[in-house]
Amino acid sequence: MTMLKTVYITLSAALLLAGVQASAQVPVYLDASAPLEDRVEDALSRMTLEEKVKMIHAQSKFSSRGVPRLGIPELWTSDGPHGIRAEAYWDEWNQAGWTNDSCVAFPALTCLAATWSEEMSYLYGKSIGEEALFRGKDVLLGPGVNIYRTPLNGRNFEYMGEDPYLAGEMVVPYIRGVQENGVAVCVKHFALNNHEVNRHNTNVVVDDRTLYEIYLPAFKAAVQKGHAWSVMGSYNLYRNRHASHNRYLLNDILKKEWGFDGAVISDWGATHDTMEAITDGLDLEFGTGTDGLHSSGGNSYDSYHLAFPYLELIRNGTVGTEELDDKVRRVLRLNFRTAMNRDKGFGSLCSEAHYEAARRIGGEGVVLLKNEGNVLPIDFGNPGTKILVVGENAIKMMTVGGGSSSLKVQREISPLEGIRERAGEGVEVLYARGYVGDVTGEYNGVTSGQDLSESRSAAELTQEAVSLAADADYVIFIGGLNKSRNQDCEDSDRKGLGLPYGQDEVISALAEVTDRLVYVNISGNAVAMPWIDEVEAVLQAWYIGSESGHVIADVLSGDTNPSGKLPFTFPARLEDCPAHLLGEYCGERVKDTLDIEYKEGIYVGYRWTDMQKKTRPLFAFGHGLSYTDFSYGKPVIDSRKMDRDGSVTVSVDVTNTGKRAGKEIVQLYISDLKSSLPRPVKELKGFRKVSLEPGETATVSFTIGSESLCFFDPASHSWVVEPGKFEAVIASSSDDIRGKAVFEVVE
Ligand code: BGC
């Protein structure tokens, strides 16, 4: 495959070289200095009808054909979004067994979102983009920005949390970092793919205001601020049309309202109807009927909706070629920006710089949820200290599994390895399994190579852990979820909010014999913690990827002062989650199309908990502790009044009052004190991560313009700022407000 590509590139390079001697003969489409649109039109004008149709559907599991006759190369895609997936066979999901396709696994996107750091997001995009480039990929299938609506969604770990503003701000630098490499992102899954069970047949029923205010803004930011070159249509339906060919989402919103000029790529097997695929916004069809998503006949690629069936309809006059030309233009743009980009470099794979990036991002994303009596950090250098590590997740490789984001990594440091490596001389680190979760470790032919089989009973495992714990100075329980079905895994959802595999019992049993119990939660989702009062410390450690063990040891030891904050709410009970309390959620698999109504509307996550008097979340959106403390001054606003088109600036002094250097994420929420439509109590509209030495103060300023104040008015189908009073709320988390300043929007 790569050889084929090389031939194309050589051919076009040769044409270019020839052009150096006789520049008049260089076709415009091959002239890298010509304006993009001129190149696109020139290429289009040279293509036959058959070539055009061949360009808009897959030719293999992950590639599409270019135009060989014109030296326009194939496009190669790859998952995404946390590392570059292993090479697969031409027409299969299974890995092809290459020996040079291992990658660095970067932290899962929930962890990236928890950094609240645009710098980390750019570093992530740049690094993964370099890996993609080295592996010859043109389109990275990610990032994902579907909103965290329910903690049961098996794919939340691939997304950026519950808040549209946070996800929208965090996705943009990632895109910039990737695309600067000449590799396109493919932002997914557009739109409303918020759970996995019945993902192919769920018809989401959602009102316009909720769609625009909650589920679309991160995609809009990706397109308008990030200039994403491609977008992936999702599996589900909206207004009874599949999202990958949906005129409302793709033609009306994405292309017309937002001005998206890139290509819409179908999710793999998300194309169902030829006519809709032609007219309703799909540009490039992938994954239809090859090995199981639907069944198909002999030459499956030619039978794709956007292949012979489309050609036939054109030939017999049923449809014209206007839509075809639009699709081809978009695919050509994608091609010129990536495969035919002559400025791109070579990238790099598994470089130390990439491991270093993964470690930094992970270190900024881990969230310290609780730290009673400052049990953390642990002095790993104190001889004689005895540390007991308990739990399957301390040893289990988490980069294999979870669905299309599964990776084949060059290396993965487990938490236990990281802790052992960090422990100084004379510090004893013991391990007890504690519970058995899932001992398998295989996905699409990639195996973890671990033997996790265990013959002892649950009681024996608990007993072993408890007896070792009684004698330990610290007990670190490393558990949570994993990437197996019904955990954090594509195409399945969790069955409940609780921890699986009897972990609750083991944690409670350990709590009885130690008062230095640290719980490290590995997951991409909120979990229930019925024993929260029994443990001293809790770390949310996500799926960190290759550098997992190093990052966890960095934080436990205090080498890294934790600075992540939650990108989603941890409800105490599933019933406290509005999607389950008010809205609809489908837990059972069904065959027919199923309407799922998002009755909770805009009240997702903290927008819901903010209104509750009686129930409090286990941990609020935006929560995260540090090993140091920060004090906030009184917010100062530069003007009490602003015009609708004007702005005000609110500033606040933040001081590190503790003894360690640390980073604080200052959050700005806006409250509309009186509005014609009901609005959330407050909404995130700004954040800044500041690094402070002990005693140091920083002044953090936010400029508030109309985009921070408006709501979507469904009646006029527009964003509206109403005159009246607003509050700028400065907070350390959504439930830890440090100050407020009132201002008024005047006519
Ligand atoms: C997933 C996508 C992924 C694609 C290709 C689909 O099943 O939903 O996220 O990019 O497969 O692997």
Side-chain angles (χ1 to χ4, degrees):
M1 294 160 255
T2 310
M3 251 181 61
L4 257 182
K5 189 167 188 174
T6 315
V7 171
Y8 292 139
I9 289 169
T10 315
L11 170 65
S12 38
L15 283 168
L16 252 194
L17 272 182
V20 172
Q21 280 141 10
S23 61
Q25 285 160 24
V26 177
V28 175
Y29 76 94
L30 282 178
D31 178 358
S33 65
L36 178 66
E37 293 310 311
D38 293 357
R39 298 179 68 192
V40 167
E41 291 309 319
D42 183 49
L44 187 74
S45 70
R46 293 167 190 268
M47 290 169 69
T48 64
L49 176 66
E50 289 72 18
E51 283 170 336
K52 289 178 182 175
V53 172
K54 271 193 186 300
M55 202 185 199
I56 57 168
H57 60 268
Q59 61 164 5
S60 77
K61 183 59 93 185
F62 287 106
S63 73
S64 68
R65 190 180 149 100
V67 192
R69 185 180 60 86
L70 297 179
I72 297 176
E74 303 160 327
L75 277 176
W76 277 89
T77 71
S78 173
D79 289 292
H82 309 137
I84 311 306
R85 191 173 180 177
E87 298 298 328
Y89 286 117
W90 189 258
D91 192 22
E92 288 177 29
W93 290 107
N94 261 5
Q95 72 141 339
W98 290 22
T99 52
N100 58 353
D101 57 348
S102 302
C103 67
V104 172
F106 295 92
L109 290 192
T110 38
C111 178
L112 176 62
T115 68
W116 297 56
S117 162
E118 288 156 1
E119 186 194 345
M120 288 303 109
S121 177
Y122 175 72
L123 177 65
Y124 195 127
K126 177 178 177 298
S127 311
I128 196 172
E130 286 167 357
E131 298 242 330
L133 184 56
F134 189 87
R135 288 271 303 278
K137 306 304 176 194
D138 305 302
V139 182
L140 177 70
L141 304 176
V145 286
N146 294 91
I147 289 294
Y148 189 111
R149 175 177 179 250
T150 157
L152 301 192
N153 179 13
R155 281 190 103 167
N156 277 337
F157 70 100
E158 291 187 63
Y159 304 141
M160 296 200 182
E162 74 184 27
D163 185 75
Y165 178 80
L166 177 64
E169 291 295 296
M170 290 300 292
V171 76
V172 170
Y174 179 117
I175 295 173
R176 192 159 42 89
V178 172
Q179 295 193 161
E180 277 175 7
N181 285 290
V183 173
V185 294
C186 185
V187 184
K188 64 193 191 183
H189 305 89
F190 189 70
L192 299 164
N193 182 183
N194 305 104
H195 57 257
E196 288 296 291
V197 172
N198 296 322
R199 61 179 174 167
H200 296 276
N201 52 335
T202 292
N203 176 49
V204 175
V205 180
V206 63
D207 62 80
D208 275 4
R209 182 170 174 211
T210 304
L211 180 70
Y212 276 80
E213 288 192 13
I214 304 293
Y215 294 98
L216 293 185
F219 288 103
K220 184 178 181 187
V223 168
Q224 292 195 332
K225 294 189 186 156
H227 306 291
W229 293 333
S230 70
V231 165
M232 186 187 291
S234 58
Y235 282 132
N236 53 282
L237 300 92
Y238 165 66
R239 296 210 207 172
N240 292 306
R241 300 285 183 96
H242 279 98
S244 284
H245 36 79
N246 185 301
R247 68 174 62 156
Y248 312 107
L249 293 172
L250 303 176
N251 289 347
D252 297 351
I253 298 177
L254 180 68
K255 292 180 178 174
K256 288 203 195 101
E257 278 183 27
W258 299 350
F260 175 65
D261 74 352
V264 172
I265 299 179
S266 70
D267 199 343
W268 270 233
T271 313
H272 299 267
D273 183 279
T274 303
M275 211 51 179
E276 286 180 20
I278 295 169
T279 58
D280 293 352
L282 176 62
D283 300 311
L284 191 46
E285 179 183 1
F286 265 95
T288 310
T290 53
D291 65 350
L293 282 176
H294 333 332
S295 55
S296 73
N299 189 347
S300 45
Y301 297 102
D302 285 344
S303 321
Y304 271 34
H305 298 280
L306 293 185
F308 279 177
Y310 189 9
L311 200 55
E312 268 310 296
L313 290 174
I314 294 174
R315 283 186 178 143
N316 69 25
T318 311
V319 296
T321 53
E322 196 187 324
E323 292 94 353
L324 176 66
D325 284 349
D326 182 56
K327 292 177 203 301
V328 174
R329 280 190 183 98
R330 290 170 182 276
V331 177
L332 282 169
R333 254 175 232 133
L334 184 59
N335 213 310
F336 287 129
R337 285 166 167 162
T338 60
M340 291 183 77
N341 177 344
R342 292 185 202 293
D343 293 333
K344 63 185 182 184
F346 297 96
S348 55
L349 188 67
C350 296
S351 65
E352 279 314 309
H354 292 172
Y355 284 108
E356 179 58 30
R359 190 166 178 168
R360 280 184 66 201
I361 297 160
E364 292 223 10
V366 169
V367 186
L368 178 62
L369 293 174
K370 172 175 178 171
N371 194 16
E372 207 172 282
N374 292 333
V375 67
L376 291 179
I378 296 169
D379 185 353
F380 274 67
N382 192 8
T385 306
K386 203 185 231 186
I387 298 171
L388 172 67
V389 176
V390 184
E392 184 171 284
N393 285 355
I395 55 170
K396 187 172 170 69
M397 262 181 91
M398 290 293 187
T399 48
V400 176
S404 55
S405 63
S406 180
L407 296 172
K408 176 161 134 191
V409 290
Q410 187 196 43
R411 70 173 194 238
E412 176 177 349
I413 311 292
S414 73
L416 182 63
E417 283 170 325
I419 291 169
R420 288 219 159 113
E421 201 181 291
R422 179 62 182 80
E425 222 167 288
V427 175
E428 200 179 350
V429 180
L430 300 169
Y431 174 70
R433 178 72 173 264
Y435 69 93
V436 179
D438 185 348
V439 299
T440 61
E442 190 272 338
Y443 194 83
N444 283 157
V446 177
T447 54
S448 70
Q450 288 187 301
D451 180 7
L452 295 178
S453 56
E454 173 61 66
S455 56
R456 289 170 294 169
S457 69
E460 284 172 311
L461 294 175
T462 308
Q463 182 48 42
E464 179 198 41
V466 168
S467 62
L468 289 172
D471 194 28
D473 297 300
Y474 294 91
V475 179
I476 305 171
F477 184 99
I478 305 185
L481 308 178
N482 57 37
K483 300 278 192 69
S484 310
R485 280 193 82 70
N486 298 126
Q487 306 286 319
D488 283 323
C489 184
E490 180 176 342
D491 200 24
S492 72
D493 286 342
R494 297 166 66 201
K495 301 273 187 205
L497 190 63
L499 285 179
Y501 317 127
Q503 292 176 78
D504 289 341
E505 288 74 29
V506 186
I507 295 167
S508 289
L510 290 169
E512 286 194 8
V513 296
T514 174
D515 53 11
R516 284 182 187 170
L517 178 54
V518 178
Y519 173 66
V520 179
N521 189 55
I522 309 285
S523 76
N525 258 315
V527 300
M529 299 184 187
W531 32 258
I532 186 67
D533 295 334
E534 302 162 35
V535 303
E536 280 63 43
V538 178
L539 275 188
Q540 175 59 32
W542 316 112
Y543 297 106
I544 299 174
S546 288
E547 287 292 76
S548 176
H550 286 149
V551 169
I552 290 171
D554 288 343
V555 174
L556 290 170
S557 65
D559 294 348
T560 296
N561 190 350
S563 64
K565 298 212 182 200
L566 289 179
F568 53 80
T569 307
F570 267 57
R573 305 167 312 159
L574 193 59
E575 311 85 89
D576 298 344
C577 171
H580 294 273
L581 185 74
L582 307 175
E584 290 178 341
Y585 163 76
C586 146
E588 297 304 320
R589 281 184 196 270
V590 293
K591 285 219 177 76
D592 298 332
T593 302
L594 184 78
D595 285 353
I596 294 290
E597 191 173 354
Y598 290 11
K599 290 185 184 155
E600 71 283 8
I602 56 175
Y603 297 102
V604 172
Y606 69 88
R607 287 168 168 79
W608 170 252
T609 49
D610 270 358
M611 300 198 305
Q612 306 311 305
K613 301 256 159 13
K614 292 199 184 111
T615 51
R616 299 305 316 144
L618 180 59
F619 298 110
F621 171 82
H623 170 73
L625 305 170
S626 163
Y627 296 149
T628 188
D629 294 307
F630 301 99
S631 74
Y632 283 61
K634 201 172 154 29
V636 177
I637 198 152
D638 66 345
S639 166
R640 294 273 164 206
K641 293 205 188 304
M642 78 174 248
D643 294 335
R644 247 190 252 236
D645 302 330
S647 65
V648 291
T649 300
V650 61
S651 307
V652 62
D653 283 351
V654 182
T655 305
N656 181 346
T657 55
K659 295 199 173 64
R660 280 170 187 267
K663 292 180 181 169
E664 168 67 334
I665 299 161
V666 183
Q667 300 163 36
L668 167 77
Y669 295 84
I670 296 288
S671 292
D672 188 348
L673 297 181
K674 197 164 165 239
S675 55
S676 59
L677 289 182
R679 298 195 68 178
V681 174
K682 64 180 189 298
E683 294 183 282
L684 184 75
K685 294 296 173 187
F687 59 87
R688 199 74 35 82
K689 191 165 196 170
V690 281
S691 180
L692 295 170
E693 292 299 319
E696 192 184 348
T697 299
T699 303
V700 174
S701 298
F702 297 101
T703 299
I704 302 168
S706 59
E707 70 288 349
S708 307
L709 309 177
C710 55
F711 60 85
F712 187 80
D713 176 29
S716 61
H717 196 83
S718 64
W719 292 91
V720 170
V721 181
E722 287 180 339
K725 287 192 173 149
F726 290 82
E727 232 168 26
V729 178
I730 299 292
S732 174
S733 80
S734 66
D735 69 348
D736 183 3
I737 292 169
R738 300 297 180 97
K740 293 178 179 177
V742 177
F743 61 96
E744 191 177 348
V745 172
V746 290
E747 287 283 9

